[in-house]
Amino acid sequence: MENAQARWLWYPGDLEKYHALKQNFSRVERGCPWPAFWKSDGFRQRVAFRRTYRLEKPTSFTVFGTPGGAGYADVNGRKYPFGKTVSCDPGEIKISLHIPGEIKISLHIGCIGCVPAVYVQGDIISSDDGWTVEDYCEPPVPAASSRYFVKPEQNVADWPLLEKRFDPISIEAVNGGALFTFETELTAELEIKGSTNPPTVYLGESRAEALDTANCYYSCTPDPETHRCPRQALRYAFIPGYQPEQLSVRAFHRYVDVPVRASFVCDDAELNRIFAVAAHTFSLCCDVFFLDGVKRDKWIWGGDAYQSLFVNRYLTGDKDIEQRTLIALRGNDPVTTHINTILDYSLLWILSMGEHAETYHDTAFLRRMRPKMASLMELVRSQRDEHGFVIGRKQDWVFIDWADFDRDGPLCAEQMLLAAAYDVMARYGNAEEKTRYEAEKAALLSAIEQYFWDEEKSAYVDSFTSGKRHVTRHANILAIVFDLVSEERKRQITQSVLFNAAVPAITTPYFRFFELDALCRLGYLKEVLSEIKSYWGGMLKLGAVTFWEEYDPKLPLEKQYAMYGDPFGKSLCHAWAASPIYLLARYFVGLRPDQDSASGFAATPAPGFFDSLDCTLQLGETTVQVIARDGKTEIKLVP
């Protein structure tokens, strides 16, 4: 009898790093492979799993290892090859070095091309809880596993995907070929039948991209045996040289099982539609990891992941994808480069760890990752100047946003992130660390006030070394979002910066997330709702089925697809574009933890916005239904 709790085991973090390599090396742009340009940490090639059993009756087990790996099982000093059934009879164990009936098992495996992993199949001896693993360097640690890998026939190199078939909703003859349109964007393997020779197909997020065979990002030919093209983002498929009736085309959407558990229904049909499209957008970007988008980069970015945490906590409540993403981003020690080479992304990674810990209360994961938080913070601290300000090195990318900053010397927005990161380190550190980081935060905030605050402008300037006293919104927004200034100072910034047309507007949805969050915190919900309806609603009016990386309401539809100097460079399905889910759930529904309530949660729908409201939202791993009508609010925990 097989133990139903058995699953594949590996060294903690190795599976995430292996699949992160696959993910970050998967980008192809017009036939040219483009691996990510930052330092890529690998997995361990050689590990040993160990466990001791006390047997009271005979039993047997079989060990399976990663395909392509080399290894053996050691049972009380005797070696057995993987795949061979090992029988153990406690009555026959008479080795003086062992307690009668005691079985000491070690599983040794090495693998160059994939994560060394094992699966132990047996009724008593199996790969369930209790195994440790070591890499011959560090002390043994509990072996890791995943709900996705629980069958002996699986290969840990291949993440299991679910599949759903989609038929085209329209087929038309155009430009000497056949254009196939699907109801929404998918990450799919396109199946093409009906042609003797595999045809070339041009894929697009937009109709214009698919029809532009010279400039569309992806073209491919189906495999002659399976008739399928590689998995790729698409909504449109154009096949030149064929009439529609000559071909049979279907899309098989393949996706990681991260179920959307939330819904939003109010008396405003447009808001309902915005929430639903945002949910579909974000769901597509939930793969093995949080991806920035499904077409262009498909890389794991620290800034995108930070914002994804806020959406995820209300939409799926899947802590595993958060942990996989955080592990993959952080990589190995010693740490010598910043996350994605970006200084602020290292700080956002630390902030992400704080958000994850606060949402899921997963002390085991926090304890495991705490040394990596500390070592990354030490890298940041090593780059401080005499004032305590962090400065990017020559090899660092100081990003914050696509904006015209005065980048001379320390950048104020980076110091705001550093202060917030100190707060996380203090909150989750020991007593000594708490004291140190609180002191460093206080000293940093004092220095920020002295050097970056401009009393005349009632704003924080980008740089104090250039003398230009240039003001952008970013540092001022972060001061509000991370609660780094007094209520009076927040009111000053609101009038002098946020509602000051002379200060350059935020141009990217990436940082617009922070600005809208700040406005919500300040109580400007009416203004935020107007922005949600005009910005995201504006995309819907142009026929969007997923939300875009960027939207300019001044441009006609045919001009919307260009970005980064590329005619189709814009992602039309981007994770950060799903932020209305967080804004609506957190501030308009008002769902939040509340230790004083019987349910552990509270919801205070913003008055004056909804006549009726019925939504089911996640808050971490708990599903909560909020019903509001006639001035009354009811909260139910959903089993």
Side-chain angles (χ1 to χ4, degrees):
M1 180 185 296
E2 181 181 350
N3 187 333
Q5 302 301 315
R7 61 263 192 187
W8 284 90
L9 304 176
W10 49 80
Y11 198 100
D14 278 357
L15 187 81
E16 291 85 352
K17 291 162 194 167
Y18 170 77
H19 282 280
L21 289 171
K22 290 184 69 175
Q23 185 64 55
N24 287 330
F25 293 175
S26 68
R27 181 175 180 176
V28 177
E29 186 174 305
R30 299 185 177 93
C32 180
W34 184 356
F37 53 78
W38 49 80
K39 178 176 176 282
S40 300
D41 286 339
F43 52 91
R44 293 161 182 80
Q45 280 80 44
R46 177 77 165 83
V47 297
F49 301 85
R50 303 186 194 279
R51 189 168 179 184
T52 298
Y53 288 88
R54 288 293 304 276
L55 300 182
E56 297 179 355
K57 62 179 181 179
T59 189
S60 63
F61 67 94
T62 307
V63 181
F64 303 94
T66 304
Y72 62 92
D74 184 308
V75 182
N76 283 354
R78 183 176 177 181
K79 295 182 177 63
Y80 298 87
F82 287 170
K84 178 181 176 62
T85 299
V86 181
S87 298
C88 303
D89 187 339
E92 296 179 358
I93 300 172
K94 302 183 184 298
I95 302 175
S96 60
L97 295 178
H98 298 285
I99 300 171
E102 183 178 79
I103 304 290
K104 290 189 175 182
I105 302 173
S106 58
L107 311 175
H108 300 261
I109 181 170
C111 191
I112 297 173
C114 187
V115 179
V118 296
Y119 186 103
V120 185
Q121 189 176 45
D123 58 346
I124 297 175
I125 299 172
S126 68
S127 47
D128 52 11
D129 292 334
W131 289 83
T132 63
V133 60
E134 60 185 76
D135 63 354
Y136 306 95
C137 177
E138 300 293 333
V141 295
S145 62
S146 166
R147 72 178 192 262
Y148 292 98
F149 293 96
V150 296
K151 299 176 182 178
E153 65 270 19
Q154 287 181 289
N155 185 344
V156 294
D158 302 320
W159 202 274
L161 301 176
L162 300 181
E163 185 171 280
K164 182 179 180 180
R165 190 185 105 184
F166 285 81
D167 295 319
I169 59 171
S170 74
I171 305 172
E172 59 183 304
V174 61
N175 293 357
L179 179 67
F180 300 84
T181 303
F182 296 89
E183 64 179 88
T184 189
E185 182 152 353
L186 308 166
T187 47
E189 294 179 356
L190 202 67
E191 180 190 80
I192 305 173
K193 294 181 178 180
S195 173
T196 305
N197 297 314
T200 299
V201 57
Y202 297 86
L203 308 176
E205 288 188 300
S206 65
R207 173 189 172 94
E209 182 181 15
L211 291 175
D212 190 339
T213 58
N215 292 305
C216 82
Y217 255 67
Y218 296 109
S219 61
C220 53
T221 57
D223 181 272
E225 294 184 6
T226 66
H227 305 288
R228 289 193 181 190
C229 297
R231 179 176 178 241
Q232 193 51 262
L234 65 97
R235 190 189 176 194
Y236 299 87
F238 176 60
I239 304 177
Y242 288 86
Q243 293 301 308
E245 61 273 11
Q246 294 178 276
L247 299 170
S248 169
V249 175
R250 300 184 297 182
F252 290 86
H253 176 53
R254 308 197 71 218
Y255 58 100
V256 175
D257 184 19
V258 182
V260 169
R261 295 185 169 91
S263 62
F264 181 92
V265 178
C266 70
D267 47 288
D268 187 324
E270 184 181 30
L271 272 187
N272 296 340
R273 177 65 177 153
I274 288 172
F275 190 97
V277 172
H280 179 54
T281 300
F282 190 76
S283 182
L284 286 171
C285 295
C286 289
D287 206 74
V288 179
F289 311 98
F290 290 135
L291 304 182
D292 61 334
V294 295
K295 182 190 84 168
R296 191 191 60 238
D297 289 18
K298 299 188 297 180
W299 289 341
I300 313 166
W301 290 96
D304 303 62
Y306 175 74
Q307 293 191 13
S308 290
L309 299 182
F310 292 86
V311 175
N312 188 64
R313 71 168 58 152
Y314 286 108
L315 190 68
T316 81
D318 191 307
K319 72 176 182 180
D320 292 347
I321 188 174
E322 295 192 12
Q323 293 183 359
R324 292 196 300 271
T325 301
L326 292 168
I327 292 169
L329 283 167
R330 176 57 182 81
N332 298 324
D333 277 328
V335 57
T336 57
T337 62
H338 289 291
I339 307 291
N340 309 125
T341 77
I342 301 176
L343 172 59
D344 29 299
Y345 280 17
S346 287
L347 295 168
L348 286 172
W349 185 86
I350 292 172
L351 294 175
S352 295
M353 284 297 306
E355 288 294 334
H356 181 82
E358 184 177 330
T359 300
Y360 299 98
H361 309 290
D362 190 340
T363 55
F365 181 69
L366 181 66
R367 185 166 55 250
R368 171 183 159 195
M369 298 299 290
R370 188 63 181 76
K372 290 183 178 293
M373 295 171 66
S375 57
L376 185 59
M377 178 55 89
E378 286 307 303
L379 175 63
V380 173
R381 292 176 74 249
S382 73
Q383 297 179 213
R384 295 176 300 172
D385 67 6
E386 66 274 17
H387 306 298
F389 299 139
V390 64
I391 302 176
R393 303 166 298 178
K394 183 178 180 180
Q395 66 267 39
D396 297 336
W397 180 3
V398 178
F399 174 57
I400 297 294
D401 190 22
W402 299 112
D404 187 18
F405 296 112
D406 178 1
R407 294 180 178 273
D408 189 87
L411 186 64
C412 186
E414 290 286 357
Q415 316 318 315
M416 296 297 184
L417 290 176
L418 177 58
Y422 278 149
D423 189 57
V424 170
M425 296 300 294
R427 192 184 322 147
Y428 296 106
N430 58 34
E432 180 183 348
E433 292 168 328
K434 178 179 173 64
T435 299
R436 181 180 72 175
Y437 286 123
E438 285 179 344
E440 291 188 353
K441 177 186 176 183
L444 176 62
L445 290 178
S446 177
I448 289 173
E449 288 300 304
Q450 179 180 351
Y451 290 99
F452 288 103
W453 178 253
D454 189 303
E455 192 64 41
E456 182 180 345
K457 295 176 182 289
S458 290
Y460 292 101
V461 297
D462 290 341
S463 167
F464 68 89
T465 57
S466 70
K468 296 177 182 179
R469 312 304 286 174
H470 182 257
V471 175
T472 53
R473 296 173 182 262
H474 301 71
N476 296 281
I477 288 170
L478 294 179
I480 295 170
V481 167
F482 295 118
D483 201 25
L484 300 175
V485 293
S486 68
E487 295 303 314
E488 173 60 29
R489 177 59 56 81
K490 291 176 185 177
R491 286 191 289 271
Q492 282 182 282
I493 292 172
T494 300
Q495 298 306 316
S496 59
V497 179
L498 299 188
F499 291 143
N500 183 355
V503 178
I506 300 293
T507 60
T508 65
Y510 170 68
F511 216 87
R512 189 63 168 151
F513 167 87
F514 294 102
E515 186 170 36
L516 293 178
D517 191 21
L519 289 170
C520 285
R521 290 168 184 265
L522 295 167
Y524 293 99
L525 297 186
K526 182 179 178 181
E527 290 77 5
V528 171
L529 186 63
S530 176
E531 175 73 5
I532 289 174
K533 292 171 76 69
S534 65
Y535 189 88
W536 282 269
M539 283 187 266
L540 293 181
K541 289 181 175 65
L542 288 181
V545 293
T546 50
F547 287 133
W548 309 340
E549 184 175 12
E550 182 187 58
Y551 163 60
D552 186 343
K554 300 185 297 294
L555 297 178
L557 179 61
E558 63 272 13
K559 299 289 186 181
Q560 292 285 353
Y561 307 130
M563 202 168 180
Y564 307 114
D566 188 300
F568 298 106
K570 183 180 294 182
S571 163
L572 299 190
C573 177
H574 218 73
W576 69 46
S579 58
I581 291 170
Y582 164 68
L583 298 171
L584 290 171
R586 173 62 184 88
Y587 297 108
F588 289 86
V589 178
L591 181 61
R592 65 195 184 280
D594 184 358
Q595 295 180 350
D596 296 328
S597 70
S599 66
F601 302 92
T604 310
F609 290 97
F610 310 112
D611 291 330
S612 65
L613 182 68
D614 186 347
C615 57
T616 300
L617 299 168
Q618 290 298 119
L619 200 50
E621 294 183 288
T622 304
T623 306
V624 183
Q625 184 180 15
V626 180
I627 302 172
R629 58 174 60 91
D630 301 326
K632 298 179 180 179
T633 302
E634 181 182 5
I635 300 175
K636 298 179 181 178
L637 298 186
V638 180

